[in-house]
Amino acid sequence: MGTTMRFGTAAYVYTALSLVLLLHATTADIPYRPNLVILLGDDVGFADFHSFGAPFQELNEIDRMAREGMMLKNFYTADSVCTPSRAALMTGRLPLRLGFHTATNRYYEAYSTGGLPREEVTIAEVLRDVGYATGMFGKWHLGMNRERNDDGYHFPQHHGFDDVGWLIPLTNSIACDETKLHVNAGPDPNSCFLYRNETIA
């Protein structure tokens, strides 16, 4: 039995070495590309997650990602409001340089016609150009339409994202509270809607 195990181990090591050499030979010109997941949350503080020092919070999937990946604890946002902070993260530019600096142009409403300019280079476009598959899910808040109320001119698929899932185009508004604690009439259908790609769901 000992001889068989040694032979088995030697064969396993040889096979593993062959695979490593084969992989190295076939991927020598392709740099290592780690998976990148960037989460940007509104109204989130350091005490909202167990992994960031809140021992009384329940462990969740974000804590698991932090445990299994890389956790960055020093991060500065470019603005305290949704749209400019997202624009800065997407482009690496100050919101002022993107036009998000006035009281009327700091965030978008359902009727707004502005958005992240298409000529701006986004992190998604840079990553896609070097071989990444890119996706965006959740809150966008960088503009919706330009000419019509359904043209989707400013949506993520026009800024380097290959796959766009469920999309919250606007902000987390109390007008969308289904519990009726804040607004007796319930959610306002003019402000509270979701998109799936470019279609209102």
Side-chain angles (χ1 to χ4, degrees):
M1 178 139 177
T3 307
T4 307
M5 285 183 69
R6 279 198 300 271
F7 175 75
T9 304
Y12 171 77
V13 170
Y14 175 75
T15 304
L17 263 173
S18 299
L19 285 172
V20 168
L21 292 174
L22 178 64
L23 288 172
H24 178 71
T26 57
T27 61
D29 297 331
I30 302 173
Y32 170 69
R33 292 189 184 105
N35 290 327
L36 300 174
V37 177
I38 299 173
L39 301 175
L40 178 61
D42 291 343
D43 309 317
V44 175
F46 74 95
D48 289 332
F49 298 105
H50 190 276
S51 55
F52 282 88
F56 300 109
Q57 294 287 359
E58 293 181 7
L59 290 167
N60 57 44
E61 293 304 311
I62 293 176
D63 295 306
R64 180 179 170 201
M65 288 172 64
R67 186 175 63 250
E68 295 177 2
M70 181 185 296
M71 198 164 76
L72 307 174
K73 292 190 173 184
N74 291 315
F75 182 85
Y76 295 94
T77 183
D79 202 289
S80 60
V81 180
C82 318
T83 298
S85 64
R86 281 173 163 69
L89 179 65
M90 290 290 296
T91 64
R93 300 185 72 200
L94 288 171
L96 176 69
R97 296 188 179 277
L98 297 166
F100 304 122
H101 60 283
T102 64
T104 58
N105 202 28
R106 288 193 71 207
Y107 62 92
Y108 296 116
E109 300 286 353
Y111 53 81
S112 299
T113 57
L116 183 65
R118 282 197 184 180
E119 62 270 14
E120 292 296 333
V121 178
T122 66
I123 188 172
E125 291 169 318
V126 171
L127 290 171
R128 187 183 59 189
D129 289 348
V130 295
Y132 275 91
T134 60
M136 193 278 167
F137 310 90
K139 181 178 173 183
W140 174 243
H141 212 183
L142 288 172
M144 294 188 304
N145 305 307
R146 186 172 78 162
E147 303 294 334
R148 302 183 321 271
N149 65 356
D150 63 349
D151 65 16
Y153 183 86
H154 297 294
F155 275 177
Q157 45 271 63
H158 304 299
H159 292 284
F161 289 101
D162 301 318
D163 185 22
V164 179
W166 289 105
L167 186 68
I168 303 169
L170 302 171
T171 190
N172 54 341
S173 171
I174 61 169
C176 301
D177 181 22
E178 295 180 350
T179 66
K180 298 185 180 180
L181 290 174
H182 303 287
V183 180
N184 290 336
D188 175 7
N190 295 317
S191 299
C192 309
F193 48 88
L194 293 173
Y195 277 86
R196 174 75 181 164
N197 287 316
E198 294 185 23
T199 306
I200 294 181

